[in-house]
Amino acid sequence: MRQVTLRLMPLIAGWAVLCSPIGSVHAAPPTEAASCAACHGAFGEGLPAENYPRLAGLPAQYIKAQLSYFADGTRKNAIMAGMAKPLSPAQITILADYYASLPVTMPAPAASVAPDFVARGQQLAEFGDWKAGIPACFRCHAAGGVGVPPYFPPIAGQSAKYLADQITAWQTGTRQGDPQGLMHSVASRMTAVDTQAVTAYLAALKPAAAVLGDTQPVLTGGVQ
Ligand code: HEC
Ligand code: HEC
């Protein structure tokens, strides 16, 4: 009896470690996600310090599209190209459904955001800048940046550096495939300061109010 318990211990300990970041109700990660966990976390929480984005709560269709873009070079990233190319359509579906089903977690808060940045960031997010031809981010990404499945990913609470890198990637053309070139058009009008301000603002927003599925955004926070 004692021996059996001892033999099970590593398994139980491993399970506890896996569960601890969120410690709750969702299913165990599928085996397909094992190779993603090192960078994106067991529950898709991401690793902001290393610039690995959060996958939890991204719309399934958006995840599928991005994996195909990484594989065919529409979105250029050496690491993700290597990860995406070997995946079969069935594996992509399993991964996309898994990450889309997970609750959103927050990155560690940014050390400090200058008040000027917050004001400019909030202005761009909520109202845009008509003179510069920049539409409000929230017109497409929903109030609070919680996203609108299946096309508009949540941008609240993703790390500032990751968000800023994406704006730069659209400006330089290393990220493409966005529906109707919408993000390329927005990004091409933004200055470096705008990018820094709006991404600092977005990174500090709490996305946890939104639990996003592919069809039904359920908002439990202030935004309805
Ligand atoms: C070695 C680290 C690493 C591993 C392992 C890895 N990724 Fe990534 N992933 C990244 C990085 C870095 C990016 C950001 C790329 C960029 O800036 O365009 C990314 C981006 C993504 C995105 C785009 C997210 C968004 O918001 O647009 C998806 C989807 C994704 N990864 C899925 C996966 C899946 C599924 C796996 C496992 C099969 C995986 N990744 C394994 C590092 C990794
Ligand atoms: C006209 C609609 C529209 C507006 C306005 C808009 N976006 Fe987007 N955004 C999109 C779409 C569509 C995508 C998904 C692109 C894709 O599928 O490749 C996206 C994706 C993104 C991403 C990538 C997220 C990820 O997980 O990789 C970032 C970052 C982003 N938008 C930031 C912004 C910011 C900042 C603003 C405001 C300055 C903004 N967007 C305004 C339509 C819009």
Side-chain angles (χ1 to χ4, degrees):
M1 182 65 194
R2 189 165 166 268
Q3 234 181 355
V4 172
T5 316
L6 280 179
R7 266 198 238 129
L8 283 175
M9 277 309 278
L11 274 179
I12 295 166
W15 182 239
V17 169
L18 267 177
C19 288
S20 59
I22 294 166
S24 65
V25 287
H26 44 71
T31 49
E32 285 78 3
S35 60
C36 321
C39 295
H40 294 287
F43 298 104
E45 61 273 27
L47 197 56
E50 298 291 338
N51 211 20
Y52 302 144
R54 181 189 73 227
L55 304 181
L58 291 178
Q61 186 168 321
Y62 171 82
I63 295 176
K64 285 185 202 168
Q66 300 310 311
L67 289 173
S68 76
Y69 296 157
F70 285 127
D72 70 14
T74 303
R75 181 171 174 182
K76 291 183 178 48
N77 182 271
I79 299 175
M80 277 309 301
M83 295 307 303
K85 274 182 191 158
L87 296 174
S88 70
Q91 288 173 316
I92 287 180
T93 301
I94 290 169
L95 288 163
D97 288 346
Y98 170 63
Y99 288 116
S101 75
L102 292 172
V104 175
T105 50
M106 283 291 285
S112 68
V113 186
D116 283 4
F117 262 17
V118 175
R120 177 64 177 159
Q122 183 168 14
Q123 184 199 8
L124 287 170
E126 290 183 355
F127 306 108
D129 181 337
W130 286 105
K131 263 202 217 145
I134 303 170
C137 313
F138 293 172
R139 281 195 79 144
C140 291
H141 291 279
V146 299
V148 185
Y151 296 115
F152 304 102
I155 50 175
Q158 194 69 284
S159 87
K161 180 161 181 350
Y162 172 75
L163 295 171
D165 282 356
Q166 302 314 304
I167 309 266
T168 309
W170 273 303
Q171 288 169 341
T172 58
T174 54
R175 180 168 177 179
Q176 295 180 33
D178 49 319
Q180 299 174 33
L182 292 175
M183 271 313 295
H184 175 259
S185 154
V186 172
S188 64
R189 293 169 184 158
M190 290 173 68
T191 65
V193 173
D194 284 343
T195 300
Q196 234 180 319
V198 79
T199 56
Y201 176 75
L202 291 169
L205 285 183
K206 205 169 194 280
V211 180
L212 296 170
D214 230 2
T215 48
Q216 262 205 320
V218 181
L219 303 179
T220 52
V223 201
Q224 283 287 352

